[in-house]
Amino acid sequence: MQKQFNDWFLTYSYGQSGLGLAWQAARCDDFVFKTATDGGFKALMKELHKKLERSKYAHFDLCGEQAAPVVFADYLDGFTDYGVCKVNDKAPAADKDGLSDLAQDQIHIGEWLIKHQRLIISRDKIPGLNSLKIPLFGYALHFTGSEEDSGKFGKDVDNGNIRRVFDFSPAAPDPKKVLWNGYARRNISGYVPYFKIDAEWQQGKYKNCQDENKDANIDGIKTLNHLACEDLWLDKDGKWKGINALAVLKGDIDDLGALFQNGLEQPTFAKMAALSRQVNHFFAIYLPWLCETQYPETYIVFAGGDDFFLLGSWKQLMQLAAELRREFSRYVADNADIHFSAGLSVTKPKIPIHQLAAMGEEALEQAKAYKNKTDGTVKNAVTCFKQTVNWADFERLCLAEGSAEQRLEQLRENYDLSTAYIYGLLRLTDRAADNAKPENALWRSQLYYRTYRMLVNNRRLKDSEQKRRACQVLVTDIGGDIEQFGSAYHIALHTYLYQNRNQN
């Protein structure tokens, strides 16, 4: 099997991707718990993990006795007048559309996972179905709708052509409805946002996306440019406010390997399998359901196993990250040792996907490096606007009732805070968080000075005593939040500024 996998990935991905296996001879007693010192399943898993680590450094068996050639023979002969694939610059385009066969298959998978409900795996292709061009390890893959839509396949079942039929339809909005539809399930479909109401795409917030909507209809999938507009809102004068921005959210469970190796006091094969499935179900079943029912402007690039990669409107993705963390904590019965970290990166929607992924990964790595100064705990954090905080502070900064961002909004309404004044708080926050320079210790005095200068011209405050009290309130509230959160106060400031930016 390992050789077959190696040959497939070398042929179709030119070694850019691969699949490594680890194996170990075992007997029946090795699958149950014995004692802490007498082998059993725990010893078997420890040995398997060692071999899995070794397999990561033995890609394609290039140092083996029957290693594949390190230079692809006749590689350049595969290129024709169609040139290089538009998606993968290592592969030749297969037709006038400028796509390689593998890229075309991947695009079709993205489309068919949303439009269909069943996956059929067969030895040979079945005519009349949506089928992938490239066989997967010797098998043909087909996508089809429900049994009523696609007809019955009794003949191909009887002759052994069809090997598996999987149901990957999404969970129903009703949480009480069972997932069983008569077929074995594989939760791989995820969720993508689409226009559910005819002519919804004609809303004013999408005015900068009109060129993309020539063929829009009730089932049209929203582009990333559409998602970047979803957090715009109309003010009392009928003007759109906010920022056109997309967010990338990547996250995974902290130290999952240690959880599997040490988390079960008396591990067995059954317990390990159950734990693995329960972890996967949260991200592969619950997360897509949560997106469809409560956060519909979220594009699931991947969700399953112990990690997730999402794209969506920036504010909704911040809210989703916080709710997902709360629900995961509830899912693991508030076990403080099981948690995940996440990285949020806000950007413009026209950046290439691979760069968005890199930005999300960088933010996630920053979150993984977090160490709580109060109790010394590590990870279990979120990075947003390049600031890393624990989850409780994240909500206190921008999401919870009475958050720092909400206090700032209330102060703006009460005292007519100017945009320039709030932008100036970004610099003061940096100074307050930087103890390396002695002059930064004057940040509170500078805050008082800038606040009073702004209030001098405030016509709503009629006398100097009112201005003095207003200045004291602003310095106390804003200065208190800067002292409490340090540089992380940037999260509250950016959230406020992005929500209140005027659209041209």
Side-chain angles (χ1 to χ4, degrees):
M1 287 177 64
Q2 183 66 76
K3 186 178 186 309
Q4 188 176 5
F5 292 159
N6 289 345
D7 291 344
W8 193 95
F9 281 104
L10 287 170
T11 300
Y12 295 109
S13 79
Y14 306 105
Q16 296 176 90
S17 301
L19 181 61
L21 301 179
W23 54 86
Q24 168 72 18
R27 57 187 180 183
C28 292
D29 284 352
D30 291 330
F31 289 88
V32 296
F33 176 78
K34 291 184 179 180
T35 65
T37 59
D38 189 22
F41 187 70
K42 192 168 187 176
L44 175 63
M45 290 305 299
K46 185 177 181 179
E47 190 63 30
L48 273 172
H49 278 288
K50 286 182 180 179
K51 293 194 172 184
L52 187 61
E53 285 297 316
R54 290 178 62 87
S55 73
K56 294 177 181 179
Y57 298 97
H59 292 304
F60 307 110
D61 196 26
L62 293 179
C63 297
E65 294 180 358
Q66 298 180 344
V70 294
V71 177
F72 295 104
D74 303 323
Y75 171 69
L76 295 178
D77 293 339
F79 290 86
T80 66
D81 293 340
Y82 295 128
V84 179
C85 173
K86 294 187 295 186
V87 174
N88 180 4
D89 60 4
K90 306 295 188 298
D95 53 35
K96 62 182 180 181
D97 291 332
L99 296 170
S100 64
D101 286 341
L102 183 59
Q104 186 64 72
D105 277 351
Q106 291 172 331
I107 291 172
H108 281 152
I109 289 173
E111 296 174 355
W112 295 340
L113 281 175
I114 304 305
K115 296 180 179 179
H116 299 299
Q117 299 179 14
R118 307 280 188 268
L119 173 66
I120 297 176
I121 302 175
S122 63
R123 295 193 184 279
D124 300 311
K125 284 192 175 182
I126 301 174
L129 297 181
N130 292 308
S131 306
L132 300 185
K133 287 185 177 183
I134 298 175
L136 187 66
F137 310 132
Y139 291 92
L141 270 63
H142 319 273
F143 292 79
T144 183
S146 63
E147 194 169 28
E148 293 75 16
D149 295 335
S150 56
K152 298 182 182 296
F153 304 101
K155 178 181 177 182
D156 289 287
V157 172
D158 292 340
N159 63 25
N161 184 36
I162 290 182
R163 309 307 299 161
R164 293 288 187 275
V165 178
F166 293 123
D167 168 28
F168 59 81
S169 58
D174 183 358
K176 295 181 181 180
K177 189 173 181 180
V178 297
L179 295 175
W180 174 253
N181 294 313
Y183 294 88
R185 285 193 60 85
R186 288 295 182 270
N187 303 295
I188 56 176
S189 60
Y191 173 77
V192 300
Y194 57 93
F195 293 105
K196 300 177 180 65
I197 302 174
D198 195 17
E200 180 188 355
W201 57 270
Q202 294 177 331
Q203 292 185 56
K205 64 182 177 181
Y206 299 127
K207 65 180 180 179
N208 295 326
C209 306
Q210 294 304 316
D211 291 341
E212 301 176 3
N213 294 317
K214 294 177 182 177
D215 299 319
N217 54 62
I218 192 170
D219 294 320
I221 294 175
K222 293 182 179 181
T223 68
L224 298 185
N225 286 328
H226 290 121
L227 296 184
C229 301
E230 294 298 346
D231 283 314
L232 300 182
W233 57 282
L234 285 170
D235 66 8
K236 60 183 180 181
D237 298 321
K239 295 181 180 179
W240 289 101
K241 302 194 73 172
I243 186 174
N244 294 79
L246 190 73
V248 184
L249 175 63
K250 291 196 76 174
D252 64 36
I253 298 177
D254 298 317
D255 302 320
L256 185 65
L259 172 64
F260 274 88
Q261 292 187 55
N262 307 315
L264 297 173
E265 185 175 347
Q266 298 183 358
T268 65
F269 180 80
K271 289 180 180 178
M272 189 73 75
L275 178 60
S276 176
R277 289 167 184 160
Q278 287 175 321
V279 169
N280 178 68
H281 287 171
F282 181 83
F283 296 110
I285 300 177
Y286 177 72
L287 177 54
W289 177 86
L290 183 65
C291 290
E292 184 166 12
T293 55
Q294 298 184 44
Y295 300 92
E297 314 307 339
T298 304
Y299 189 115
I300 295 181
V301 181
F302 176 79
D306 70 323
D307 61 346
F308 52 91
F309 174 18
L310 313 177
L311 301 173
S313 54
W314 68 276
K315 186 65 184 293
Q316 285 194 40
L317 220 53
M318 291 170 65
Q319 295 167 339
L320 171 59
E323 178 159 356
L324 195 64
R325 198 277 309 181
R326 291 194 299 270
E327 289 301 302
F328 183 74
S329 179
R330 189 169 68 91
Y331 185 69
V332 299
D334 295 318
N335 187 329
D337 294 326
I338 307 176
H339 43 73
F340 69 78
S341 296
L344 268 160
S345 182
V346 179
T347 183
K348 291 295 184 181
K350 294 187 180 296
I351 292 178
I353 289 292
H354 69 272
Q355 190 171 342
L356 292 176
M359 293 169 62
E361 187 64 31
E362 182 181 351
L364 175 58
E365 289 179 2
Q366 186 175 336
K368 292 283 188 181
Y370 173 79
K371 184 174 182 179
N372 193 310
K373 296 179 181 179
T374 303
D375 56 18
T377 56
V378 295
K379 303 181 180 180
N380 193 18
V382 57
T383 296
C384 183
F385 299 119
K386 299 184 178 181
Q387 302 296 323
T388 302
V389 293
N390 60 53
W391 287 100
D393 280 351
F394 180 62
E395 296 199 43
R396 284 194 286 263
L397 279 161
C398 59
L399 297 174
E401 187 68 28
S403 67
E405 187 271 331
Q406 287 186 5
R407 286 194 293 274
L408 190 62
E409 175 68 33
Q410 190 62 53
L411 291 172
R412 183 197 64 82
E413 292 180 3
N414 293 343
Y415 301 107
D416 283 336
L417 303 186
S418 67
T419 302
Y421 173 81
I422 296 176
Y423 268 109
L425 296 178
L426 293 169
R427 293 189 294 273
L428 285 178
T429 300
D430 288 335
R431 291 172 184 170
D434 183 8
N435 296 323
K437 297 179 180 179
E439 61 268 25
N440 287 340
L442 298 173
W443 70 269
R444 184 175 284 277
S445 299
Q446 293 167 346
L447 172 63
Y448 190 96
Y449 174 76
R450 293 189 72 256
T451 303
Y452 190 79
R453 285 293 302 269
M454 178 196 64
L455 293 174
V456 165
N457 298 320
N458 190 327
R459 296 180 181 179
R460 289 168 54 180
L461 302 176
K462 297 180 180 179
D463 55 47
S464 57
E465 180 58 25
Q466 285 184 324
K467 294 177 181 179
R468 188 192 65 79
R469 288 199 300 267
C471 185
Q472 189 63 44
V473 169
L474 287 169
V475 171
T476 300
D477 287 359
I478 294 175
D481 282 339
I482 292 176
E483 279 190 339
Q484 179 182 356
F485 297 111
S487 62
Y489 190 57
H490 274 279
I491 296 176
L493 291 171
H494 278 99
T495 302
Y496 169 83
L497 290 167
Y498 282 6
Q499 285 186 127
N500 291 278
R501 182 174 295 181
N502 293 320
Q503 286 285 305
N504 294 328

